Amino acid sequence: MSKNLSRRDFLKTTAIGSAGIGIIGITGCKPQVATEGSPAATEAAGSINASTSNVPEPLTLAEFKDSTVELDPITSFAGEVTADIIVVGAGAAGVPAAITAAEGGCSVVVLQKEATPVSQGNCGSGLIVEESDKEGLLRYMHHTNSLNNWRSDPKLLEAYVMNSGEAVNWFYDRARLNGTAADKPNDKGLFIYLNTSQDFTGQWSDARYCSFDYGEAKVHMYAPWMGPKPNNIGTIMTYVLAEAVAEFGDKFKVYYKTPGVQLIKENGKVTGVVGKLADGSYVRFNANKAVILATGDYQNNEAMVNHWCPDVAGFDRKQYSKTGDGHLMAVTAGAEMEKLGHTKMLHDFDAGLMYEEPFLYVNMQGKRFCNEFVGFVYMNDIMVHQGYYKGGKNIQNPEKGSKGWYCQIYDSTYMDNEAVSGLVPPTVMEKYMPEISDEEYSANHDGAKRTGVFSHLIDTYRADTLDELAEKLGIEDKQAFLDSVARYNELCQKGADDDFGKDAKWMNPIETGPFYGIRRHLRVSALCSGVYTDENGRALDGEKKPIEGLYCVGNLGGQFYGGADYPFHATGLSLGRCYTFGRLAGKHVVTLPGGTNTIEETGTVSA
């Protein structure tokens, strides 16, 4: 993607960092414009100044060191690219933003830190306005806000409620997934393998402690699960983006392995971003209209985690390279970070099914530690107090271990527990048992292949004795485990939980083999808080005024949630929100003045 001009000749003849155009490096407590030839511009590009006075409040120097964002102004470039819209991040928000802007007649450039688009999860949901009534839509907003500790920005909730159905259907239409099924996959072999669509009407309950009365009102949620696993939304984003490149031709380009490391500002407007190539050189990406940041969350930036969401410190992460780059760049441009506390999402749907059923729970020392009648969304809060474990799979720091490990224990009579909903028979649970090989599984299931699981994450076990089960689960104190089961059985026989107060109807003894255990590993799926934005994704400054030329979407844009924990009342809300606000931002930038619907490249723009 480079023209016939050598990098050396380009650097000799071109002065991209011309006077009056600022690179948002930090030379004081607030963002400043550094012009070529200024003291800041003469420092080594990309270095991190050791002085904390160079960092905008309320951030810390450590947060920048744990990211790809560079503080000192960058003024030397190997190449230059100009397009109407620059999107940083090719995920669940960035891809919809980019394609929507292209559909509206803008030329679009996408910068992606990784070699491919990246997204997780399998379900993105939206509300179908045409199948809902106004009162139902309003009550859904009220319901969601109640689960977010009443801290949601109502304008953002309204934007999701009124636009999410269109955004979800638009994306799944592009992916050719609407209307698919296992016996009718799309041309990529993918299909809707589960559908949790539902009407919110009458009395809603999470079957735990939360309820909400919709009365006669109704709102319909479309929530298909796309796959099957190990495919996920990242799989889908990959081919949807590739097809967009082919569709829009020279008006749409993606630069992989090119992270955005610094924003460019001119006269108070964000006008571009500096990208960094694999060889360490820089490319200046100019935006005729706007920059859309869609870089995901900050779960892999330890300093940001410790600052903004310390409760998840010690838990393993599901994602990688999510270092808060967009958050940091936005703040250097004047955006304001969402106030503490930030919303977190931790779960484990992959070790085995029946993830929320109130069987006996023991920690990895073999001890019962809670009343098991807990919503799965809140288990991470309880596990904060259970210490570290080193014996499991997929631990990021094996020497230290990680938090979030516990085991669900039940016996062979579990299917008779009439009070427990969501029970899954043993034959279905076998796909989650790593001790059963794929060949053995197929032989035991009429030739069916083991699908719908991530093989490296399954962690369900069956054993003839409790001693053997403890060994398979990796429980560190076998005797403590046996004592915990004995005590639990004693309480079941008594009909009263004198230790934790669980209702007797959930108390079922563990006496009849074979015995079962699921080793849960709660990991950070997403940190869902970012910088303040309006309903179109425009970043807001400290006075809640839009920063011209800057949009922040997906998990970079807040305050959509606001509670300590992500609300699990609506499956697929997280991805659905990303699709929706990516699309809204893409539509809004189309309305901005300027633009040429062309992409111009000069110099070396790819490594």
Side-chain angles (χ1 to χ4, degrees):
M1 291 186 288
S2 61
K3 294 187 177 180
N4 295 324
L5 180 66
S6 73
R7 176 180 173 186
R8 176 175 295 180
D9 289 339
F10 174 78
L11 293 174
K12 284 181 179 179
T13 59
T14 308
I16 295 178
S18 57
I21 298 180
I23 306 296
I24 306 180
I26 306 300
T27 57
C29 292
K30 294 182 179 179
Q32 294 185 355
V33 170
T35 59
E36 189 168 26
S38 69
T42 60
E43 297 177 7
S47 65
I48 296 288
N49 193 308
S51 173
T52 57
S53 66
N54 286 355
V55 179
E57 295 180 354
L59 300 173
T60 65
L61 184 64
E63 291 170 74
F64 283 90
K65 288 183 176 180
D66 284 350
S67 76
T68 64
V69 179
E70 304 194 5
L71 285 172
D72 290 334
I74 301 165
T75 57
S76 295
F77 303 95
E80 182 175 11
V81 179
T82 300
D84 294 340
I85 307 300
I86 309 296
V87 178
V88 185
V95 171
I99 297 175
T100 299
E103 288 177 338
C106 293
S107 58
V108 177
V109 159
V110 180
L111 307 187
Q112 171 65 345
K113 181 193 289 189
E114 308 301 332
T116 64
V118 174
S119 185
Q120 63 168 351
N122 294 80
C123 180
S125 64
L127 305 181
I128 308 303
V129 174
E130 297 79 9
E131 299 181 36
S132 308
D133 55 51
K134 183 175 181 179
E135 184 178 356
L137 295 167
L138 293 172
R139 290 200 181 192
Y140 181 92
M141 288 175 55
H142 197 63
H143 179 198
T144 303
N145 204 0
S146 73
L147 296 173
N148 290 332
N149 301 121
W150 304 105
R151 297 182 72 230
S152 300
D153 183 333
K155 289 184 178 180
L156 299 187
L157 285 182
E158 182 181 7
Y160 170 82
V161 165
M162 299 307 298
N163 296 281
S164 57
E166 186 276 338
V168 168
N169 272 307
W170 166 85
F171 175 61
Y172 291 142
D173 280 343
R174 271 199 165 264
R176 301 175 298 286
L177 283 164
N178 280 328
T180 60
D183 59 352
K184 191 173 62 174
N186 73 0
D187 55 301
K188 303 293 184 180
L190 304 176
F191 54 88
I192 299 173
Y193 69 90
L194 177 66
N195 197 332
T196 52
S197 301
Q198 63 171 300
D199 289 334
F200 287 87
T201 189
Q203 189 72 26
W204 175 90
S205 172
D206 69 351
R208 291 297 184 271
Y209 302 108
C210 297
S211 62
F212 188 86
D213 188 6
Y214 280 83
E216 297 298 319
K218 171 193 166 184
V219 59
H220 181 68
M221 178 183 73
Y222 177 47
W225 293 66
M226 305 302 186
K229 296 179 181 179
N231 298 292
N232 62 11
I233 298 302
T235 310
I236 299 165
M237 288 287 172
T238 299
Y239 73 80
V240 169
L241 185 59
E243 290 170 356
V245 171
E247 176 182 350
F248 297 108
D250 59 3
K251 303 180 190 308
F252 192 105
K253 294 189 177 183
V254 182
Y255 297 80
Y256 289 108
K257 296 185 179 180
T258 307
V261 298
Q262 200 167 92
L263 289 177
I264 304 168
K265 225 178 179 185
E266 181 180 13
N267 299 323
K269 176 185 178 181
V270 173
T271 59
V273 62
V274 178
K276 189 172 185 177
L277 302 181
D279 64 2
S281 61
Y282 301 99
V283 176
R284 181 186 178 111
F285 291 89
N286 302 308
N288 293 325
K289 290 190 171 193
V291 172
I292 301 175
L293 298 179
T295 52
D297 67 30
Y298 57 85
Q299 63 180 268
N300 305 118
N301 184 318
E302 290 300 323
M304 289 190 73
V305 166
N306 292 334
H307 184 173
W308 299 102
C309 199
D311 278 356
V312 305
F315 287 84
D316 289 320
R317 318 291 199 252
K318 283 194 172 184
Q319 302 193 61
Y320 58 92
S321 297
K322 301 295 185 183
T323 51
D325 304 335
H327 297 70
L328 300 176
M329 285 192 287
V331 172
T332 66
E336 185 178 7
M337 188 77 87
E338 186 178 333
K339 305 299 184 187
L340 294 174
H342 284 188
T343 302
K344 60 191 187 298
M345 183 201 307
L346 294 88
H347 53 63
D348 175 8
F349 296 121
D350 298 306
L353 298 174
M354 302 190 294
Y355 51 87
E356 199 171 45
E357 278 59 40
F359 302 124
L360 168 64
Y361 292 4
V362 298
N363 60 25
M364 298 314 298
Q365 290 73 47
K367 297 179 180 179
R368 188 182 181 208
F369 61 92
C370 71
N371 179 328
E372 295 88 352
F373 190 68
V374 180
F376 194 43
V377 61
Y378 305 117
M379 278 305 298
N380 73 92
D381 301 304
I382 293 174
M383 296 310 299
V384 165
H385 308 288
Q386 294 305 310
Y388 289 77
Y389 177 63
K390 300 180 181 180
K393 301 184 292 185
N394 307 302
I395 295 180
Q396 291 168 318
N397 187 342
E399 291 185 5
K400 184 178 181 180
S402 58
K403 294 183 178 181
W405 296 88
Y406 66 99
C407 298
Q408 296 172 281
I409 309 297
Y410 52 99
D411 73 3
S412 60
T413 68
Y414 75 96
M415 291 297 294
D416 299 328
N417 299 341
E418 295 181 0
V420 179
S421 61
L423 294 173
V424 178
T427 53
V428 177
M429 291 297 290
E430 284 182 354
K431 70 165 59 178
Y432 292 90
M433 297 180 182
E435 294 181 315
I436 298 178
S437 68
D438 291 346
E439 293 76 17
E440 182 181 357
Y441 178 87
S442 182
N444 293 341
H445 292 80
D446 298 323
K449 294 183 178 180
R450 190 200 307 252
T451 60
V453 299
F454 293 108
S455 58
H456 64 291
L457 297 176
I458 57 177
D459 225 3
T460 299
Y461 300 89
R462 181 168 52 198
D464 293 330
T465 67
L466 290 170
D467 286 77
E468 182 185 5
L469 185 63
E471 289 283 348
K472 291 183 175 183
L473 291 170
I475 289 175
E476 295 176 333
D477 188 335
K478 184 186 297 186
Q479 188 56 52
F481 171 71
L482 297 175
D483 292 344
S484 293
V485 174
R487 172 61 176 167
Y488 188 73
N489 288 342
E490 175 186 331
L491 296 173
C492 290
Q493 294 300 327
K494 184 178 181 180
D497 184 4
D498 293 340
D499 292 346
F500 292 98
K502 185 166 69 173
D503 193 303
K505 67 182 178 181
W506 309 117
M507 300 289 290
N508 297 284
I510 301 167
E511 299 174 325
T512 307
F515 302 97
Y516 294 85
I518 306 172
R519 183 168 59 180
R520 294 290 175 193
H521 181 196
L522 301 180
R523 297 181 295 155
V524 179
S525 179
L527 301 178
C528 308
S529 299
V531 300
Y532 292 110
T533 65
D534 70 7
E535 61 272 25
N536 292 305
R538 294 183 295 179
L540 304 178
D541 63 17
E543 297 179 351
K544 297 296 187 288
K545 295 179 180 178
I547 298 172
E548 188 178 2
L550 182 61
Y551 294 72
C552 297
V553 294
N555 284 328
L556 170 55
Q559 180 169 346
F560 182 81
Y561 302 106
D565 291 291
Y566 170 84
F568 269 100
H569 66 307
T571 53
L573 176 61
S574 179
L575 280 171
R577 173 216 180 189
C578 290
Y579 303 162
T580 301
F581 284 94
R583 186 146 168 80
L584 286 174
K587 289 181 177 181
H588 196 265
V589 296
V590 170
T591 69
L592 299 178
T596 63
N597 197 22
T598 62
I599 296 175
E600 297 180 3
E601 295 179 334
T602 311
T604 301
V605 297
S606 61

